[in-house]
Amino acid sequence: MKKLLVVCFLLIASAAWAKPPKNQYVRIKTAYGQCIIKLYNQTPKHRDNFIKLAKQGFYNGTLFHRVIQNFMIQGGDPDSKAAKPGQELGNGGLKYTVPAEFNDSLFHKRGVLAAARDNNPEKASSSSQFYIVEGKRATDGRLDTLEQTRLKGFKVPAWQRDVYKSVGGTPQLDHGYTVYGEVISGIDMVDLIAAVEKDKKDRPLKDVAMTVEVLKKRECKQLDKLLQIR
């Protein structure tokens, strides 16, 4: 009987451990440090596309080719690998786009990961290019103005206003670009990169290369637990 109970316990424990983590996480490493990003389940197309490219090693060696302090840092252009100094970047990508996945609960607060795009009417995202928001704090006056202009009458919820006023972000980009993740550790990397010297096209004078890796199941589960995600 005791042996049977032990076997049952082991089977239950094994089944529990076999369950996948609730969220996927990636690590971005640069010469300015590293950050860990949680990918949102509410944007599965963007999440899965980013994981696919990261597992392929696509991002390794690409640059953060456009940085604007108090705004964002942008990377993921395959043309940036071994790019010559002064070469214009930002037009590269794969031969597909990712359909927009807008969600009112996902907004451009400081530290979010979002997809770059061109001016296509569907607001479909680039296959590979992304940006991480550094942002700055907003005032109620600024948010009121944006509601009537860039946001075309959309009312920023009170709880989001509180975040924009206390933490900061880029509210002018809401409903225009898909947000699909957020930095949970290492936001100082973003601040350091955003502050580097750059040329007139916002490309850093000294290349900022990256490597991107998908965290293993065990690490993802540990982060889920750490963040008390249910």
Side-chain angles (χ1 to χ4, degrees):
M1 185 65 176
K2 288 183 178 180
K3 289 184 178 180
L4 180 60
L5 289 174
V6 170
V7 171
C8 289
F9 174 79
L10 291 175
L11 288 173
I12 292 172
S14 177
W17 182 249
K19 291 182 179 179
K22 294 183 179 180
N23 293 277
Q24 293 292 318
Y25 301 83
V26 297
R27 179 183 289 112
I28 299 179
K29 294 181 179 179
T30 72
Y32 294 87
Q34 64 180 26
C35 69
I36 295 177
I37 294 175
K38 180 185 80 172
L39 300 176
Y40 292 147
N41 292 325
Q42 300 97 312
T43 51
K45 294 183 178 66
H46 286 75
R47 176 199 63 203
D48 294 349
N49 181 68
F50 195 87
I51 290 173
K52 178 192 72 174
L53 295 180
K55 285 184 174 180
Q56 292 173 354
F58 174 90
Y59 288 113
N60 297 340
T62 61
L63 307 177
F64 280 105
H65 64 269
R66 181 171 177 245
V67 304
I68 303 175
Q69 195 165 24
N70 298 319
F71 186 45
M72 58 90 223
I73 60 173
Q74 181 175 338
D77 181 349
D79 294 343
S80 67
K81 291 186 178 182
K84 296 179 180 179
Q87 178 182 334
E88 183 176 359
L89 298 170
N91 296 314
L94 301 172
K95 295 181 179 180
Y96 65 88
T97 57
V98 182
E101 294 180 289
F102 297 136
N103 187 313
D104 287 347
S105 68
L106 307 179
F107 60 108
H108 280 81
K109 63 183 179 181
R110 170 174 163 81
V112 298
L113 172 74
R117 65 172 177 81
D118 59 20
N119 291 321
N120 69 88
E122 294 82 15
K123 299 182 180 180
S125 302
S126 164
S127 57
S128 64
Q129 291 194 46
F130 64 89
Y131 58 92
I132 304 174
V133 170
E134 182 187 31
K136 60 182 179 180
R137 293 186 181 91
T139 63
D140 280 316
R142 169 67 172 156
L143 293 170
D144 289 343
T145 298
L146 285 174
E147 286 178 344
Q148 300 305 317
T149 54
R150 286 289 295 270
L151 301 182
K152 299 179 180 180
F154 174 80
K155 295 295 183 182
V156 180
W159 67 275
Q160 289 185 13
R161 276 182 171 256
D162 289 341
V163 174
Y164 279 135
K165 290 189 294 182
S166 61
V167 176
T170 55
Q172 67 271 28
L173 300 182
D174 285 345
H175 305 283
Y177 300 80
T178 296
V179 171
Y180 64 102
E182 67 176 277
V183 174
I184 62 167
S185 173
I187 190 65
D188 53 318
M189 184 201 80
V190 177
D191 294 332
L192 290 171
I193 295 173
V196 302
E197 289 188 79
K198 57 188 183 177
D199 63 21
K200 293 181 179 179
K201 295 180 180 178
D202 297 317
R203 177 178 168 181
L205 296 179
K206 182 179 179 181
D207 286 346
V208 181
M210 74 178 84
T211 60
V212 181
E213 61 179 316
V214 178
L215 299 191
K216 297 183 183 301
K217 182 189 293 186
R218 180 186 296 272
E219 295 174 288
C220 291
K221 286 190 173 184
Q222 289 172 342
L223 287 169
D224 278 347
K225 186 176 181 180
L226 182 64
L227 296 174
Q228 296 183 333
I229 295 170
R230 297 182 175 87

